[in-house]
Amino acid sequence: MLERTLSIIKPDAVKAKNAGKIIEMLESNGFSIIGMKKIHLTKEQAKKFYIVHKDRPFYDSLTDFMSEGPIIVMVLEKDNAIEDYRKLMGATNPEDAEEGTIRKLFGTNIERNAVHGSDSKESASYEIGFFFNELELV
Ligand code: CDP
Ligand code: MG
């Protein structure tokens, strides 16, 4: 079934100029980019985006990281996009990620892991709505 998911190229990967290589991987794996923007989140915006993690020990450090520099946010569309993009990203910790995945190739550590991807239909819906309105999606 055609699905949409939210992808973020995180500040580490944008700063390292890996965005082009990551976007190339998305397109060559069948994802269509139907919305895209480059923005610099404030700490407060990063805290709101990651509100599900508010009680986790890494919340403060994660939201510092996500607001330290610009990110590239995309809405991706494909059959089974949510699960397929999670597979292409690889495990949260790049050390555990499979060869050839985005996090294996471009991640540094469990926090600075290059990319974000929605983990369910519910989170995709919340996360897409956080960054885009329907008029911005083509
Ligand atoms: O991003 P993913 O869904 O794979 O992992 P998560 O459990 O939803 O965690 C969100 C983000 O928090 C991760 O992508 C990491 O950047 C960060 N994190 C961390 O810094 N330390 C952890 N132990 C777990 C996650
Ligand atoms: Mg997650």
Side-chain angles (χ1 to χ4, degrees):
M1 202 183 70
L2 204 57
E3 259 181 4
R4 291 175 176 186
T5 191
L6 187 91
S7 163
I8 302 178
I9 304 177
K10 294 184 176 183
D12 57 331
V14 172
K15 188 170 184 199
K17 300 212 184 287
N18 286 324
K21 283 170 252 174
I22 293 170
I23 292 167
E24 158 60 24
M25 286 178 74
L26 299 175
E27 291 196 318
S28 63
N29 280 276
F31 294 90
S32 297
I33 299 167
I34 64 164
M36 186 175 196
K37 60 176 78 170
K38 185 175 187 179
I39 55 175
H40 188 158
L41 293 177
T42 64
K43 170 84 171 172
E44 286 312 308
Q45 289 166 336
K47 284 173 76 176
K48 190 172 176 207
F49 179 74
Y50 276 116
I51 194 73
V52 293
H53 292 313
K54 67 177 166 43
D55 297 324
R56 308 291 289 278
F58 57 82
Y59 184 60
D60 189 51
S61 176
L62 170 63
T63 53
D64 275 348
F65 163 51
M66 289 300 290
S67 58
E68 77 179 24
I71 59 174
I72 295 171
V73 191
M74 287 171 279
V75 177
L76 305 178
E77 192 171 78
K78 182 184 178 298
D79 281 339
N80 206 38
I82 296 170
E83 192 187 333
D84 287 1
Y85 177 52
R86 296 284 305 185
K87 274 192 203 139
L88 183 61
M89 283 201 305
T92 306
N93 188 343
E95 274 180 34
D96 302 331
E98 278 183 48
E99 291 299 328
T101 60
I102 298 172
R103 284 169 163 171
K104 184 71 170 193
L105 286 164
F106 304 114
T108 303
N109 58 44
I110 194 166
E111 178 177 88
R112 305 177 75 84
N113 58 4
V115 282
H116 166 85
S118 310
D119 66 0
S120 65
K121 282 189 193 304
E122 295 69 37
S123 63
S125 172
Y126 171 75
E127 291 174 2
I128 290 169
F130 186 91
F131 287 108
F132 296 92
N133 67 56
E134 274 299 316
L135 289 175
E136 296 174 300
L137 303 177
V138 293

